[in-house]
Amino acid sequence: MSAINGKLDAKFGAINRNSTRGLASTITMPLGHRFGAQFDGLYQHGFSTNIYGVGTHFFARDPGKGLIGLAFSGMTSQKFTDVIVGMEGEYYFKKVTLGAVAGWDNYDSHVATTFPGLVNHQNFVAARVYAAIYPMDDLMVRLEYQSRFNHNFCVAHVEWQTPMNGVAVFADGGVGDDGYAHLMGGVRVYFGGSKPLKDRHRKDTIPNIGSTFIGPNSAGSTDVGGSPAGTKLPDPT
């Protein structure tokens, strides 16, 4: 990475049939030839609450081989606080990136939640394992497994960089335990010169933890109208 770069996301979708919308941003800067730092920001509105998040990454990367680093994420709202501290890594093949993130997650909910036991258990392991496939240099299909709140999730993400310089569109869908489901779509704008999408992912920004992890903004801190902890979301009528 040779220069400061970044990206800005705007997205809209539904989580367990409840609409949500949000913004996410990153700024990445070089710290010498092989090292870098990234700072994340997040705002999301869903389930009648405003959610704010920040994140920090410190990493070493060789664009021809891979990346390893430390990562931190924190989110808060009137309903919860959620903090993740961990490690992340990627290995690059010609058309495939293999990646993983794993860390300690401290979660504190102030309301009844979607998932059984979540109010009573505040410390978890948060983990993502994924494969990002590039059929073309400007098209990525990412398939991943996540573990959050002692629950399992499968997520698929598609991103295409349009002919407009630095402008990409994306769609994201996931399913998980206890009937969890989400579907999102949005626009992503990259800053930092003209280059293929694959190079942006391997030479510039890395994933924003707050917007890539299944989190309390999407699953874990849903007020269920005073019902006991562990009650699932009711189907809208």
Side-chain angles (χ1 to χ4, degrees), residues 79 88 93 156 170 185 191 198 206 211 218 237:
K79 297 182 178 182
E88 57 190 343
F93 297 93
F170 64 89
F191 306 94
K198 184 170 72 171
I206 54 181
S211 59
S218 56
T237 58

Side-chain angles (χ1 to χ4, degrees), residues 115-116 124-125 127-128 144-155 174-182 214 219:
F115 292 139
F124 303 91
V125 173
R128 295 175 60 224
E144 64 182 271
Y145 163 80
Q146 295 192 20
S147 176
R148 286 285 269 147
F149 317 121
N150 291 336
H151 286 69
N152 302 298
F153 304 89
C154 294
V155 180
V175 295
D177 292 346
D178 294 298
Y180 172 84
H182 80 256
I214 298 289

Side-chain angles (χ1 to χ4, degrees), residues 14-188:
I15 300 164
N16 289 1
R17 302 183 184 179
N18 292 266
S19 65
T20 185
R21 60 189 183 274
L23 300 171
S25 63
T26 65
I27 298 176
T28 312
M29 59 187 64
L31 299 175
H33 182 59
R34 294 292 188 189
F35 299 93
Q38 179 170 295
F39 303 95
D40 302 335
L42 172 76
Y43 166 76
Q44 189 159 330
H45 179 82
F47 299 108
S48 301
T49 190
N50 294 310
I51 300 154
Y52 304 91
V54 296
T56 306
H57 311 248
F58 295 99
F59 58 90
R61 175 163 55 189
D62 180 339
K65 294 182 180 179
L67 171 149
I68 188 168
L70 302 173
F72 161 83
S73 174
M75 286 190 287
T76 187
S77 78
Q78 293 179 330
K79 297 182 178 182
F80 69 88
T81 57
D82 186 45
V83 175
I84 297 174
V85 180
M87 297 189 66
E88 57 190 343
E90 292 185 332
Y91 191 83
Y92 307 141
F93 297 93
K94 184 176 181 180
K95 293 287 187 179
V96 177
T97 295
L98 299 180
V101 184
W104 170 78
D105 179 13
N106 179 262
Y107 176 80
D108 183 14
S109 179
H110 315 312
V111 298
T113 63
T114 305
F115 292 139
L118 187 52
V119 171
N120 299 323
H121 296 86
Q122 296 188 3
N123 292 296
F124 303 91
V125 173
R128 295 175 60 224
V129 180
Y130 57 90
I133 304 163
Y134 296 86
M136 302 182 294
D137 285 351
D138 281 326
L139 176 65
M140 180 196 72
V141 179
R142 187 177 69 223
L143 304 175
E144 64 182 271
Y145 163 80
Q146 295 192 20
S147 176
R148 286 285 269 147
F149 317 121
N150 291 336
H151 286 69
N152 302 298
F153 304 89
C154 294
V155 180
H157 181 91
V158 178
E159 182 180 2
W160 173 60
Q161 182 171 251
T162 72
M164 297 176 60
N165 183 33
V167 178
V169 294
F170 64 89
D172 194 283
V175 295
D177 292 346
D178 294 298
Y180 172 84
H182 80 256
L183 183 63
M184 298 279 189
V187 177
R188 179 169 292 137

